[in-house]
């Protein structure tokens, strides 16, 4: 949710928050990139660049958080194998050697003794702890697998937002370039009119100031564009010297204004596809097994033991004779009945029950967050589509006004204030249309993600 708010705030930033770099720079030849880079057809007129799918595929293999999560999966597998092995008996070999010196004793002053034995043990029953521990470790293995998938899903949405931010910057830079060209022409025309005595120096200064302001906005735009690319490189774990160019995406008005599916249906699908919710459900099941394991502390335990051994004592019989006479075999059955354990079992059961209730609260919280997130995307997407429709009309009106105002200014019939007003209104209209387009597409893609657990970009 945090990243969603950050991205929304970024895309809804005012015109003064500049983006991008020139299209020529954005499509400049990059350093060699991994196999994720693809060639775009010559007919499209684009240079080679990374698609959104390329970014996801590269991050899948190189993102550090994902790699660490996969290591956790391996650890969980090892824990499961260890739990299964508790059904197997234990076997160990033990030998003891001792030397005794009795300087004032009778008879032999020194003696040596040794023993050798194989000891085996097997727990027949321990209150179901062993079985429940295996089940719990299976759940932990699945939980870690789901956690890896959830990290990838989060990474996909982060990449989508950064990817669209960069494309937004690349398109918005064209607006700033045109604004600079237009204000430069206006400033030059103002200079000519001032020299001809048809325009005051104050008006000329205002128009020249607008030109400098547009140039400053363009500089800021390029810096912001570089920042957005750095964010993408961080997600992809690319080195500081690496360069990356993205493949452009075109959307028709029909795609931007595509109707939204029913909200209730999307929420139901989101609950089915949400890996975090599935993970929490398994956490609850694991906590129920914790309760069963804790209750086993009240139950008796039965174990079987067996062993063979021998020993040698010197001085005494020969080594062979001593080992033969010392040979022994043993077998035993142990029944342990817990009586008092200093409240350990009772406390463990109470703690496990609290964890079970906490797991259910986590599920309820996640469902609430999921519902709010899906609904917020619907609200933002509808709002962006409405702004897009209004911005289309606004842009056409602003464009015509700006063209007529420029023609009248060139003839000397319009003052600087009116010209600057029409100029800024046209630039604002273009930005409003661009912002609403990308906000609408971001919302549509996020709704698709919550419904289908996948994101597709052309």
């Amino acid at each position: 949710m945090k990243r969603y708010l950050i991205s929304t705030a970024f895309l809804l930033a005012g015109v003064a928050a500049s983006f991008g770099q020139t299209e020529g720079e954005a499509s400049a030849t990059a350093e060699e990139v991994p196999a994720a880079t693809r060639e775009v057809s010559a007919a499209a007129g684009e240079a080679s660049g990374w698609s959104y799918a390329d970014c996801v595929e590269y991050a899948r293999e190189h993102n550090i958080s994902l790699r660490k999560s996969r290591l956790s999966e391996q650890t969980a597998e090892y824990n499961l194998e260890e739990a299964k092995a508790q059904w197997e008996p234990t076997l160990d070999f033990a030998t003891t050697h001792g030397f005794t010196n009795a300087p004032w004793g009778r008879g032999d002053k020194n003696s040596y003794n040794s023993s050798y034995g194989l000891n085996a043990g097997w727990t027949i029953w321990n209150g179901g702890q062993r079985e429940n521990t295996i089940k719990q470790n299976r759940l932990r293995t699945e939980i870690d697998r789901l956690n890896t998938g959830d990290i990838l899903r989060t990474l996909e949405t982060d990449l989508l937002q950064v990817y669209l931010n960069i494309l937004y910057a690349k398109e918005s830079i064209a607006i700033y370039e045109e604004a600079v060209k237009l204000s430069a022409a206006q400033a030059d025309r103002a200079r000519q009119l001032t020299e001809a005595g048809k325009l005051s120096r104050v008006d000329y200064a205002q128009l020249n100031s607008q030109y400098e302001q547009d140039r400053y906005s363009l500089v800021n735009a390029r810096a912001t564009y570089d920042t957005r690319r750095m964010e993408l490189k961080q997600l992809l774990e690319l080195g500081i010297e690496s360069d990356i160019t993205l493949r452009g995406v075109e959307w028709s008005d029909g795609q931007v204004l595509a109707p939204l599916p029913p909200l209730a249906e999307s929420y139901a699908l989101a609950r089915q596809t949400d890996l975090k919710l599935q993970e929490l459900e398994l956490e609850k099941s694991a906590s129920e097994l914790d309760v069963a394991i804790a209750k086993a502390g009240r139950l008796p335990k039965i174990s079987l033991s067996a062993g063979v051994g021998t020993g040698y004592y010197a001085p005494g019989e020969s080594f062979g004779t001593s080992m033969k006479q010392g040979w022994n075999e043993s077998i035993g059955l142990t029944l342990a009945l817990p009586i008092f354990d200093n409240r350990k079992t009772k406390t463990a059961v109470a703690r496990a029950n609290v964890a079970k209730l906490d797991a259910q609260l986590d599920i309820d919280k996640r469902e609430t967050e999921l519902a709010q997130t899906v609904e917020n995307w619907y609200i933002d997407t509808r709002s962006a589509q409405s702004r897009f429709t209004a911005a289309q009309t606004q842009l056409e009106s602003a464009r015509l006004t700006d063209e007529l105002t420029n023609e009248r200014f060139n003839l000397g019939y319009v003052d600087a204030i009116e010209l600057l007003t029409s100029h800024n209104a046209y630039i604002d209209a273009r930005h409003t249309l661009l912002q609403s387009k990308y906000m609408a597409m971001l919302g549509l893609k996020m709704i698709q993600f919550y419904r289908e657990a996948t994101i597709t970009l052309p």
Side-chain angles (χ1 to χ4, degrees):
M1 190 65 181
K2 178 181 177 184
R3 288 190 177 275
Y4 156 66
L5 293 174
I6 291 175
S7 177
T8 302
F10 168 72
L11 286 172
L12 291 178
V15 174
S18 304
F19 301 87
Q21 75 178 151
T22 62
E23 266 190 63
E25 292 170 342
S27 61
T29 302
E31 297 176 7
E32 285 193 7
V33 294
T37 303
R38 301 288 187 268
E39 289 289 334
V40 181
S41 63
E46 294 285 340
S48 62
W50 291 54
S51 68
Y52 170 74
D54 294 334
C55 293
V56 172
E57 188 62 30
Y58 187 87
R60 190 190 301 271
E61 298 299 326
H62 297 84
N63 184 265
I64 292 177
S65 296
L66 270 176
R67 292 162 67 186
K68 288 176 68 67
S69 184
R70 291 190 184 106
L71 292 178
S72 297
E73 286 187 61
Q74 291 183 11
T75 301
E77 290 285 351
Y78 297 147
N79 292 338
L80 176 58
E81 292 301 320
E82 182 183 21
K84 290 179 179 179
Q86 300 310 304
W87 277 103
E88 301 173 3
T90 60
L91 178 65
D92 65 80
F93 170 78
T95 179
T96 303
H97 301 267
F99 178 79
T100 303
N101 179 35
W104 293 284
R106 295 180 180 180
D108 296 323
K109 306 296 184 182
N110 301 305
S111 64
Y112 165 79
N113 62 83
S114 63
S115 64
Y116 310 86
L118 281 173
N119 303 296
W122 182 52
T123 300
I124 299 176
W125 193 65
N126 62 351
Q129 285 184 345
R130 182 169 47 195
E131 296 91 333
N132 288 326
T133 300
I134 293 174
K135 293 177 183 177
Q136 191 177 64
N137 277 275
R138 282 200 182 99
L139 289 178
R140 292 295 173 193
T141 302
E142 182 64 15
I143 287 171
D144 284 341
R145 187 188 67 80
L146 289 173
N147 183 60
T148 300
D150 187 57
I151 292 175
L152 177 60
R153 282 166 59 91
T154 301
L155 186 60
E156 287 177 350
T157 56
D158 290 346
L159 284 170
L160 173 68
Q161 294 176 51
V162 174
Y163 195 94
L164 292 184
N165 286 343
I166 295 175
L167 294 183
Y168 173 78
K170 185 177 179 181
E171 284 198 46
S172 63
I173 193 59
I175 298 176
Y176 284 103
E177 288 182 323
E178 290 184 23
V180 169
K181 292 177 181 178
L182 181 58
S183 58
Q186 291 171 345
D188 184 63
R189 179 56 179 164
R191 179 185 57 78
Q192 296 174 8
L193 293 174
T194 301
E195 292 174 352
K198 295 183 179 180
L199 195 69
S200 68
R201 290 187 175 276
V202 174
D203 287 341
Y204 169 67
Q206 288 178 327
L207 291 172
N208 195 61
S209 176
Q210 179 64 51
Y211 167 64
E212 296 297 336
Q213 179 60 44
D214 287 342
R215 290 183 59 197
Y216 179 75
S217 297
L218 185 57
V219 171
N220 283 340
R222 291 170 179 168
T224 306
Y225 177 80
D226 289 338
T227 300
R228 300 294 168 254
R229 290 204 306 167
M230 181 190 67
E231 292 173 356
L232 179 59
K233 288 163 61 176
Q234 288 175 340
L235 289 174
L236 297 177
E237 307 293 349
L238 290 173
I240 191 173
E241 295 181 355
S242 301
D243 196 5
I244 183 169
T245 302
L246 301 185
R247 187 184 305 176
V249 180
E250 294 292 335
W251 290 296
S252 66
D253 292 352
Q255 289 175 302
V256 176
L257 299 174
L260 302 183
L263 174 59
E265 180 184 274
S266 294
Y267 173 61
L269 291 173
R271 291 186 75 256
Q272 295 176 14
T273 60
D274 187 64
L275 297 183
K276 187 64 177 179
L277 190 58
Q278 296 176 29
E279 181 183 339
L280 292 174
E281 293 281 2
L282 291 182
E283 287 283 2
K284 180 184 176 182
S285 298
S287 66
E288 292 172 350
L289 289 173
D290 276 332
V291 175
I293 292 172
K295 288 181 177 179
R298 302 188 181 121
L299 302 176
K301 296 176 178 59
I302 303 174
S303 59
L304 179 68
S305 61
V308 294
T310 186
Y312 170 69
Y313 179 81
E317 301 289 344
S318 65
F319 180 79
T321 302
S322 181
M323 292 285 285
K324 180 179 180 180
Q325 293 178 347
W327 179 264
N328 62 87
E329 301 166 349
S330 64
I331 187 170
L333 184 68
T334 302
L335 173 65
L337 300 173
I339 300 176
F340 296 109
D341 63 352
N342 299 322
R343 289 181 59 90
K344 289 182 180 178
T345 299
K346 187 174 183 179
T347 302
V349 172
R351 189 181 295 116
N353 279 316
V354 170
K356 178 182 175 181
L357 293 174
D358 187 63
Q360 181 59 53
L361 291 176
D362 286 339
I363 293 173
D364 296 340
K365 180 181 178 182
R366 179 61 181 175
E367 289 178 339
T368 301
E369 290 176 348
L370 196 59
Q372 292 176 343
T373 301
V374 172
E375 187 172 6
N376 281 335
W377 280 117
Y378 267 75
I379 293 172
D380 290 343
T381 305
R382 289 194 183 107
S383 176
Q385 289 178 327
S386 298
R387 291 199 307 272
F388 181 80
T389 302
Q392 288 178 311
T393 303
Q394 180 187 11
L395 177 60
E396 182 61 21
S397 176
R399 184 185 63 80
L400 292 174
T401 301
D402 189 56
E403 288 179 358
L404 293 174
T405 304
N406 270 283
E407 291 177 4
R408 296 181 63 196
F409 172 76
N410 290 332
L411 297 174
Y413 298 144
V414 175
D415 60 19
I417 298 299
E418 187 176 350
L419 182 64
L420 290 175
T421 300
S422 66
H423 172 79
N424 289 328
Y426 179 54
I427 298 301
D428 288 350
R430 294 190 65 183
H431 273 287
T432 300
L433 183 66
L434 191 63
Q435 289 170 358
S436 58
K437 180 182 79 169
Y438 273 92
M439 277 305 302
M441 291 309 305
L442 174 62
L444 288 168
K445 292 302 176 182
M446 289 302 298
I447 291 172
Q448 176 195 10
F449 174 76
Y450 281 108
R451 290 174 60 87
E452 304 172 7
T454 185
I455 300 173
T456 55
L457 286 181

